Amino acid sequence: QLQVRRDFDIAMEAKKKEFQDERSQLERELAAEKLQLQKELDEEMEVMRTEARWRRAVIVTVVDVLSPLEQAIATGSLQTLRDVIEPLSASIASRSAADEAYGELATAVVAVIKMGDERLRTWRSVAIGIKECLQDIDGLRAGEVPIAKLTNACHKLFRCLHEAQLTSMNVTKSIDDSVTDEIVDAIMLWQKSAMNH
């Protein structure tokens, strides 16, 4: 019976040692797995930090680009808008250049720059239209002013002024300081001619 007890104790010690060895092996594997997971997590966090820094840099760039455009439109000055929009339009001449410069925000930036470019074209057309109307009216001043031609020229002038108002164009800043006086003179001439007929 003593031998059975000793054999049992030896078997138990062997099982205990086997369990301890298995436990130690599992703890080492668990520690290695934790270390591997922590390493992967650190790598993913670094990738996310890098992406966040890149996105922040792109957003800062976009704000730096779009803020002067917004200010130029707010001034209502054709020359100021031209000075801002022409370099921007050149910077997005190709889709790949825009993608490289603005990354994921390229589509939005390109759309805003194109909107600014459209505003510039509108303002140019308004400025040309106003100058043409004023030249037409000046040409009519030479002699007897045909009321129909003067009326048509003034209506065209009103349409140009209306377009300038709708697009927030400052006519005085965009053409020259004397244009306001010329517009008032033209309207006064039209009013005087209309009253005489």
Side-chain angles (χ1 to χ4, degrees), residues 74-130:
T75 65
S77 168
L78 177 63
Q79 185 60 42
T80 304
L81 183 58
R82 182 182 310 131
D83 292 345
V84 171
I85 202 71
E86 286 177 352
L88 289 176
S89 293
S91 76
I92 60 159
S94 71
R95 181 64 188 181
S96 60
D99 286 341
E100 185 177 316
Y102 305 111
E104 294 174 4
L105 300 174
T107 304
V109 172
V110 168
V112 171
I113 291 173
K114 285 185 178 182
M115 181 204 66
D117 195 44
E118 180 64 30
R119 179 71 57 97
L120 178 64
R121 281 192 298 257
T122 301
W123 286 2
R124 280 181 179 152
S125 132
V126 167
I128 290 168
I130 289 173

Side-chain angles (χ1 to χ4, degrees), residues 6-69:
R6 208 177 298 146
D7 288 343
F8 179 75
D9 287 342
I10 291 173
M12 286 303 282
E13 282 298 320
K15 280 291 186 191
K16 191 175 183 181
K17 173 121 175 72
E18 186 181 322
F19 286 141
Q20 285 177 346
D21 290 345
E22 283 181 22
R23 182 178 180 171
S24 296
Q25 177 64 24
L26 289 173
E27 285 175 351
R28 283 191 298 275
E29 288 175 7
L30 183 61
E33 186 76 24
K34 281 183 178 179
L35 189 62
Q36 180 63 28
L37 287 173
Q38 186 62 46
K39 182 180 176 184
E40 289 174 8
L41 181 63
D42 290 344
E43 288 171 359
E44 287 179 25
M45 289 298 288
E46 186 55 36
V47 167
M48 289 172 62
R49 283 188 202 104
T50 302
E51 286 178 4
R53 281 192 297 271
W54 177 81
R55 284 191 175 130
R56 196 174 307 117
V58 168
I59 289 169
V60 166
T61 302
V62 168
V63 168
D64 287 347
V65 166
L66 299 182
S67 185
L69 178 59

